[in-house]
Amino acid sequence: MIRTMAVTRSMELLFDLPLDELDQDHIEWYWVDFDCPTEEEALLLDRHFHFHPLAVEDCMHRLQRPKLDHYGDVHFFVLHSIHPSTLAAYEVDLFLAPKFLVSFHFTKLKEIDGAWRKFQQNEAYWDKGASFGAYLIMDKLVDDFFPSVHKLEDEMNEFDSDQKGNSIHTLMRRVFDIRTKLVQLRRTIVPMRDLLYRVLSSERIPHIKEQHAYFSDIHDHLLKLSEMIDSVRDTTADMRENFVSLNSYRMNNIMKTLTVITTIFMPLTFMAGIYGMNFDNMPELHWQSGYFIVLGVMLAVAAMMFYWFKRKGWFD
């Protein structure tokens, strides 16, 4: 589906104009949205608008990394939308020029619909140009990143007040799940942050300079999101290190206990081995109380070794 919205020189808003009528003199600027376009509609990027072949190719081969390319006076943006539940990224492509804004996406996105409605309902936006339409789209995309990041923060906070008696292995699985989700978010948010920095620093998009404060606000939001992600990552890293340290401590205790038991039984095994040879000339074999004497000696040796290990602090 292709929908159009045009602002006339007299500040009227027109909808659903054919593409051929958008370049008329009375049109100040226009916004064309390719919403889940068919293959035939997607070809209009080349046939009607004559965008650069590399930009058109990037639109067709999803999923590209967020980026900004300049093709003359047309500036090509690759942006991402994030699904709040699965954290899957969906590509949004923008072509921005002084007189038009073209948005292109293969997935139905509420952010684009929200920006479209917001622009339509506020007359104060109509005379701000195509760059302001690009701002509205970016702002909606970035604002919808926050719920996903806040959700991960809440999951991490649950660990501090976990009352379900989950095992450490269950908690660690949850930590690694959160780290996986953080990586997904980071792949979108960090490139978007760098993209906005390029937009603010670039001298090649003069019409965006007029809305510098608006785009700077988006950049601030992306900086905040990056800091939140880094904070959660640091927390998960600390928990992972604590888990490894705890496992190492427990393993050391187990090995120490097994070592003590083995050391105590070594002389007992030696004595039992000697008296198990059954040679005829072993005088102790014919003692009437020999069995009980040997048991007593073995018990005394074990008790002495236990006492000595305890004094050394091996059981602390």
Side-chain angles (χ1 to χ4, degrees), residues 219-256:
H219 185 250
D220 290 341
H221 289 170
L222 288 167
L223 286 176
K224 180 175 177 61
L225 286 165
S226 299
E227 292 172 357
M228 293 167 64
I229 288 178
D230 289 341
S231 175
V232 178
R233 286 185 69 202
D234 290 343
T235 303
T236 58
D238 290 342
M239 295 189 68
R240 182 179 59 183
E241 292 174 2
N242 291 339
F243 172 70
V244 172
S245 299
L246 178 61
N247 270 358
S248 298
Y249 175 75
R250 293 176 61 188
M251 184 61 66
N252 288 337
N253 279 340
I254 292 172
M255 293 303 298
K256 184 172 67 174

Side-chain angles (χ1 to χ4, degrees), residues 120-162:
Q120 175 185 347
Q121 295 167 1
N122 197 325
E123 295 184 15
Y125 297 159
W126 297 355
D127 63 344
K128 293 183 180 295
S131 58
F132 197 80
Y135 156 74
L136 290 176
I137 292 175
M138 295 181 191
D139 185 55
K140 288 295 293 180
L141 291 174
V142 172
D143 283 347
D144 282 358
F145 293 165
F146 278 96
S148 299
V149 178
H150 284 310
K151 181 179 179 181
L152 293 180
E153 278 191 328
D154 292 340
E155 288 186 33
M156 286 303 304
N157 292 334
E158 288 179 3
F159 291 130
D160 296 333
S161 57
D162 186 85

